[in-house]
Amino acid sequence: LVISALLLSTLVGIPIGIAAVRYRRAGQLLIALTSLLQTIPSLALLCFLIPLLGIGALPTVVALFLYGLLPVAQSTAAGLLSIDARLLETAKLLGLGRGQRLRWIELPMASPAIWAGIKTTAVINVATATIAALIGAGGYGRFITSGLALNDPRLLLKGALPTAVMAIAFHATFEWLSQRLMPNGLARSPGEKH
């Protein structure tokens, strides 16, 4: 559930972030719409999706995808806006087209911020996915909901602890990936302060 939704959020969120920088009005409207989605409680969003998509994994993936858009889109826009305008002007003077600048300069330089948004989305999705048990999608949430219904703390922890461990594992995995996939010259050295 989490990985499928995260992949979709990344594939759609990064272009939204790029649009927010390139086409300010339309892009900011898209960011505002993704922000609006964050205000809908997750259980309510699932309830809205059930008549359209039924119960089970599909509405859960769609809900997690929608919740994941904002961190990815916003971090992409923030990363792109943090690039020194003089560097982009130099690239333009050297004859690089808009697509080349984006692919070779802007996205690599914005990648630390983009990775941060993806990592945030992954951790949020792990926690939010537990409510999927309420609509028959399974996962660790079934132990949490059963533990709540039966007032059984051990059953509740059977779902909550693996969820917390999974969130930490996702965080660590994406931290590792971001260090390995960071373009040369942008990755921090191990002793460098944050």
Side-chain angles (χ1 to χ4, degrees):
L1 296 175
V2 171
I3 292 172
S4 301
L6 180 62
L7 183 61
L8 289 170
S9 295
T10 302
L11 291 174
V12 176
I14 291 174
I16 289 174
I18 293 168
V21 173
R22 291 269 169 95
Y23 312 102
R24 293 295 169 102
R25 286 188 178 177
Q28 290 306 317
L29 178 63
L30 287 172
I31 295 277
L33 289 174
T34 60
S35 299
L36 183 62
L37 289 170
Q38 295 288 325
T39 65
I40 303 170
S42 48
L43 189 55
L45 183 57
L46 281 174
C47 290
F48 293 144
L49 292 173
I50 289 171
L52 300 172
L53 305 173
I55 62 170
L58 184 59
T60 303
V61 169
V62 171
L64 294 176
F65 153 69
L66 293 172
Y67 280 127
L69 283 176
L70 180 63
V72 175
Q74 218 164 28
S75 64
T76 300
L80 292 172
L81 288 171
S82 70
I83 298 170
D84 189 340
R86 292 173 297 179
L87 179 65
L88 298 177
E89 189 59 35
T90 302
K92 193 173 181 181
L93 290 172
L94 290 172
L96 293 178
R98 207 171 191 188
Q100 293 172 316
R101 288 195 308 270
L102 179 68
R103 187 171 59 250
W104 295 339
I105 297 172
E106 295 176 72
L107 286 177
M109 292 195 74
S111 63
I114 295 170
W115 275 108
I118 293 170
K119 185 169 46 178
T120 300
T121 295
V123 173
I124 289 170
N125 280 359
V126 169
T128 308
T130 57
I131 64 159
L134 297 172
I135 61 165
Y140 292 124
R142 69 181 186 274
F143 298 116
I144 295 171
T145 54
S146 297
L148 287 169
L150 300 171
N151 196 21
D152 184 347
R154 285 188 301 171
L155 192 56
L156 191 110
L157 287 173
K158 191 175 179 181
L161 290 177
T163 299
V165 169
M166 187 185 294
I168 292 167
F170 267 99
H171 178 83
T173 300
F174 280 101
E175 187 66 31
W176 181 82
L177 280 172
S178 68
Q179 291 301 315
R180 297 299 171 277
L181 299 175
M182 192 78 58
N184 291 337
L186 292 179
R188 290 189 199 106
S189 60
E192 187 179 337
K193 291 185 178 179
H194 299 281

